[in-house]
């Protein structure tokens, strides 16, 4: 069912993140998040936003193949906005503004703040919450429940 899929995906993301943090701390002598509770809360909000987008794509796509194509068309720009291709700090102002309004850019910014002990920006949290709620509600509305 949809709820089981959502839970499994959320736990998979949590475990993968814990492993990545563990490798960063142990293998690369990186710092542990200064506010692990806030980091975890931001991670859950980011996962909710991302999974809600995926659920919306799945609800609207007419077939599995088209859903995969649409998901890739959304995924790769999200990588850009998250700063995967080049750091968000070096983005031009216009691109950074768009990045701040994307779920990936907002997630990276909020997780970075929590990692270094700062309170995440309310705007980043709001972007993720609005996307999680909006995309999630639309997905429920358009999902074919057969």
């Amino acid at each position: 069912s949809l709820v089981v899929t959502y839970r499994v995906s959320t736990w998979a993301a949590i475990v993968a993140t814990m492993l990545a943090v563990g490798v960063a701390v142990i293998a690369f002598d990186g710092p542990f998040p200064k506010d692990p509770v806030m980091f975890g809360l931001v991670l859950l909000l980011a996962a909710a936003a991302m999974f809600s987008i995926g659920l919306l794509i799945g609800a609207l796509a007419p077939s599995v193949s088209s859903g995969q194509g649409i998901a890739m068309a959304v995924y790769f720009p999200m990588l850009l906005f998250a700063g995967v291709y080049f750091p968000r700090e070096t983005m031009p102002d216009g691109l950074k503004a768009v990045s701040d309004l994307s779920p990936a850019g907002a997630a990276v910014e909020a997780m970075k703040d929590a990692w270094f002990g700062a309170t995440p920006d309310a705007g980043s949290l709001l972007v993720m919450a609005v996307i999680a709620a909006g995309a999630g509600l639309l997905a429920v509305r358009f999902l074919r429940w057969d």
Side-chain angles (χ1 to χ4, degrees):
S1 87
L2 184 63
V3 173
V4 172
T5 301
Y6 197 77
R7 281 189 189 151
V8 169
S9 297
T10 302
W11 278 109
I14 291 168
V15 170
T17 302
M18 290 171 52
L19 288 171
V21 169
V23 168
V25 170
I26 295 167
F28 297 104
D29 200 29
F32 192 75
K34 291 206 188 314
D35 191 345
V37 172
M38 181 58 76
F39 183 82
L41 292 173
V42 169
L43 174 64
L44 288 175
L45 184 57
M50 300 298 181
F51 291 151
S52 293
I53 291 170
L55 289 172
L56 180 59
I57 291 169
L60 295 175
S63 68
V64 173
S65 296
S66 64
Q68 290 171 336
I70 294 166
M72 289 296 106
V74 170
Y75 175 69
F76 287 108
M78 274 200 207
L79 292 177
L80 169 71
F81 297 136
V84 169
Y85 302 125
F86 55 92
R88 286 176 32 87
E89 293 78 22
T90 65
M91 288 182 181
D93 291 341
L95 184 59
K96 183 142 182 352
V98 173
S99 175
D100 289 341
L101 295 174
S102 76
V108 166
E109 198 62 28
M111 284 193 278
K112 181 177 71 173
D113 287 344
W115 189 281
F116 292 111
T119 301
D121 180 64
S124 296
L125 300 175
L126 182 63
V127 164
M128 290 185 290
V130 166
I131 289 171
L137 290 171
L138 286 171
V140 168
R141 162 66 178 87
F142 290 109
L143 193 66
R144 295 172 293 281
W145 295 92
D146 358 320

